[in-house]
Amino acid sequence: MPDTLQHRLAAAVDAAFDTQIAFLLELTSHPSIRGQEQSAQDFMAAELTKRGYALDRWQIDVADIQHLPGFSPVLAPYDDAVNVVGTHRSKTNQGRSLILNGHIDVVPAGPLDMWDSPPFEPTVADGWLYGRGGGDMKAGLASNLFALDALAACGLAPAADVFYQSVVEEECTGNGALACLARGYKADAALIPEPFAEHLVTAQLGVIWFQVHLKGLPTHVAYAGTGANAIEAAIPLISALHEMEHRWNVAENRPADYAHMDHALNLNVGKFEGGDWTSSVPAWSVFDVRMAIFPGQSIDAAKAEIEQVILDAARDNDFLRNSLPEIVYHGFHAEGYALSQDSSAKATSAIHALDQAHRITTGEDLVHEAITATTDARFFGLYADTPALVYGPRAEAIHGFNERVDLESMRRVTKATALFIADWCGTEDQ
């Protein structure tokens, strides 16, 4: 790539950076938690249309995806689950095609009094933008879009088809990205700017979500000895699951990408409900669990062991052996994915192009690392023969209070993304 183009793209990003921050402020102000993404998608659709991209907006139909590899079970209807894709069609098709993927959904904000400022009234202070979803991952959606804008400001367009995706469901199933595959969106590579501090993700874990339902015998608390407490009965089951978590993390079970991590797989009891009345022994309880698995670890085998662990622990409990728990799967059925294991020419070339773009932008080598979370990269890498590069800005407190994203980091990622697009796709006159 000529030095002059590198400088022109960087200058174009700088010239539009105040506009990019304003865009991110507006996008972050939309409270796009699951089921409430429509206003944010309206905004994204309008921005893509304004730029002249061919717009595809559709409601996800479970029937279209439930038979596909990577589908995660859902409990709620999808009447409100809408994806948005903007397409650039090249005139010359001399380069390699690209998916720029990001998710619009964000996790709930939690108690508002735990935030220093309202989570959906984003603010900028000391170089950081604060607000729920600003880091995870609306800054990435902004960097993807404004990287394309930088090419346009230079009078250029990608010399290959580019599909800009704003998807739902990433935080609970990934079915939004899967729906894009089912709709026919394929490319030679995918770039997903999740907020991992300008590092390239070489491997990510899989995730399984499940609920454990317990039922007890209600009685007045004065006669607690004659009833079965469905809340207290959950405690030995949770302990047994944590023992399983420890076994899965032992050194001999770790693949190479995670050999250096003592505890990569984390089990989280994220939600607990139970009981109906303070003076009644609780007759029921439900707790929700997230458990991670390694790349290459079978979901079916993991589920079988989870179920066995829960039932074995229940049979050791005087109450539960007569009323065995019910296990319900909902949400993530996500396999792990390791870009590091993709030795194809496409993967090697894409990684090299991003390495170069990062080095030109920052003057430093791109750090490659495994992460202990999951992303939508798995759909492209495992089910579409598409190397998926996860590379995004630095953010802090994602999924926590006072979530924030480093704006200078977003600027650097936008510049590197523009360089990557120009290298990977090539350029043509607008």
Side-chain angles (χ1 to χ4, degrees):
M1 186 188 308
D3 288 347
T4 54
L5 179 54
Q6 296 172 13
H7 294 311
R8 288 168 62 203
L9 288 172
V13 171
D14 286 336
F17 197 61
D18 286 345
T19 303
Q20 184 174 351
I21 293 173
F23 171 94
L24 181 57
L25 284 165
E26 170 65 22
L27 187 57
T28 306
S29 73
H30 292 267
S32 54
I33 60 174
R34 177 65 195 94
Q36 299 178 28
E37 304 97 339
Q38 296 86 355
S39 68
Q41 291 291 54
D42 286 344
F43 176 70
M44 291 303 308
E47 291 292 317
L48 290 165
T49 300
K50 181 172 69 176
R51 289 163 168 82
Y53 296 110
L55 188 71
D56 184 14
R57 177 176 181 159
W58 76 99
Q59 179 181 314
I60 300 172
D61 187 341
V62 173
D64 292 338
I65 60 175
Q66 61 187 359
H67 61 288
L68 297 175
F71 174 75
S72 292
V74 295
L75 299 181
Y78 267 19
D79 296 344
D80 51 15
V82 174
N83 277 348
V84 170
V85 175
T87 295
H88 158 76
R89 292 292 183 188
S90 168
K91 295 178 291 186
T92 64
N93 277 315
Q94 294 177 342
R96 295 164 292 195
S97 57
L98 180 64
I99 289 169
L100 295 171
N101 172 275
H103 65 87
I104 199 75
D105 55 313
V106 303
V107 300
L112 299 184
D113 60 0
M114 298 292 287
W115 289 75
D116 290 343
S117 59
F120 296 111
E121 297 177 18
T123 58
V124 172
D126 301 321
W128 296 83
L129 184 145
Y130 290 80
R132 170 59 83 230
D136 187 16
M137 63 166 292
K138 292 177 178 178
L141 285 164
S143 67
N144 277 348
L145 188 60
F146 280 78
L148 290 170
D149 285 356
L151 268 75
C154 295
L156 300 172
D161 292 345
V162 175
F163 307 106
Y164 180 100
Q165 299 178 349
S166 177
V167 303
V168 297
E169 283 282 308
E170 192 274 349
E171 295 287 7
C172 51
T173 63
N175 289 341
L178 182 60
C180 287
L181 291 182
R183 204 163 177 87
Y185 290 106
K186 305 288 175 63
D188 294 315
L191 178 68
I192 306 177
E194 290 276 12
F196 293 114
E198 301 173 58
H199 295 175
L200 173 65
V201 174
T202 55
Q204 63 182 48
L205 299 177
V207 171
I208 302 172
W209 277 11
F210 60 95
Q211 292 178 334
V212 182
H213 293 243
L214 306 179
K215 294 181 180 179
L217 179 65
T219 186
H220 190 284
V221 70
Y223 311 104
T226 65
N229 189 315
I231 291 177
E232 293 180 0
I235 296 171
L237 304 190
I238 294 171
S239 295
L241 286 169
H242 278 300
E243 291 173 4
M244 180 197 75
E245 172 193 18
H246 175 74
R247 292 195 303 272
W248 286 9
N249 273 293
V250 298
E252 55 265 33
N253 290 334
R254 301 174 207 154
D257 287 298
Y258 294 93
H260 62 292
M261 296 187 191
D262 291 336
H263 202 282
L265 304 183
N266 291 301
L267 180 142
N268 183 61
V269 180
K271 186 177 177 182
F272 200 112
E273 298 178 284
D276 300 295
W277 190 252
T278 305
S279 289
S280 295
V281 176
W284 65 276
S285 70
V286 178
F287 61 94
D288 289 52
V289 183
R290 177 264 197 197
M291 184 62 206
I293 58 175
F294 286 121
Q297 188 174 350
S298 163
I299 287 182
D300 288 341
K303 287 170 59 178
E305 186 169 351
I306 288 168
E307 292 165 13
Q308 193 63 53
V309 164
I310 292 172
L311 293 177
D312 285 349
R315 292 186 180 103
D316 284 339
N317 181 280
D318 287 341
F319 156 60
L320 290 177
R321 71 167 59 101
N322 297 315
S323 182
L324 293 177
E326 179 187 5
I327 301 162
V328 176
Y329 295 98
H330 70 106
F332 282 120
H333 263 48
E335 293 184 84
Y337 166 60
L339 175 66
S340 63
Q341 302 305 307
D342 187 345
S343 58
S344 68
K346 283 194 300 186
T348 301
S349 182
I351 292 169
H352 176 71
L354 187 59
D355 280 339
Q356 289 291 99
H358 178 85
R359 188 177 299 110
I360 290 168
T361 300
T362 67
E364 300 176 356
D365 289 340
L366 178 59
V367 175
H368 295 195
E369 69 173 0
I371 61 169
T372 55
T374 190
T375 77
D376 280 343
R378 66 187 183 277
F379 294 100
F380 308 104
L382 294 178
Y383 313 124
D385 190 29
T386 302
L389 311 182
V390 177
Y391 169 80
R394 176 188 175 203
E396 295 180 351
I398 62 173
H399 291 212
F401 303 115
N402 300 320
E403 178 180 348
R404 64 182 190 168
V405 62
D406 181 340
L407 293 175
E408 285 304 311
S409 180
M410 181 178 72
R411 186 200 300 259
R412 291 190 295 271
V413 166
T414 306
K415 291 179 178 180
T417 301
L419 291 173
F420 173 77
I421 295 169
D423 185 353
W424 180 256
C425 300
T427 61
E428 62 189 24
D429 292 336
Q430 282 186 303

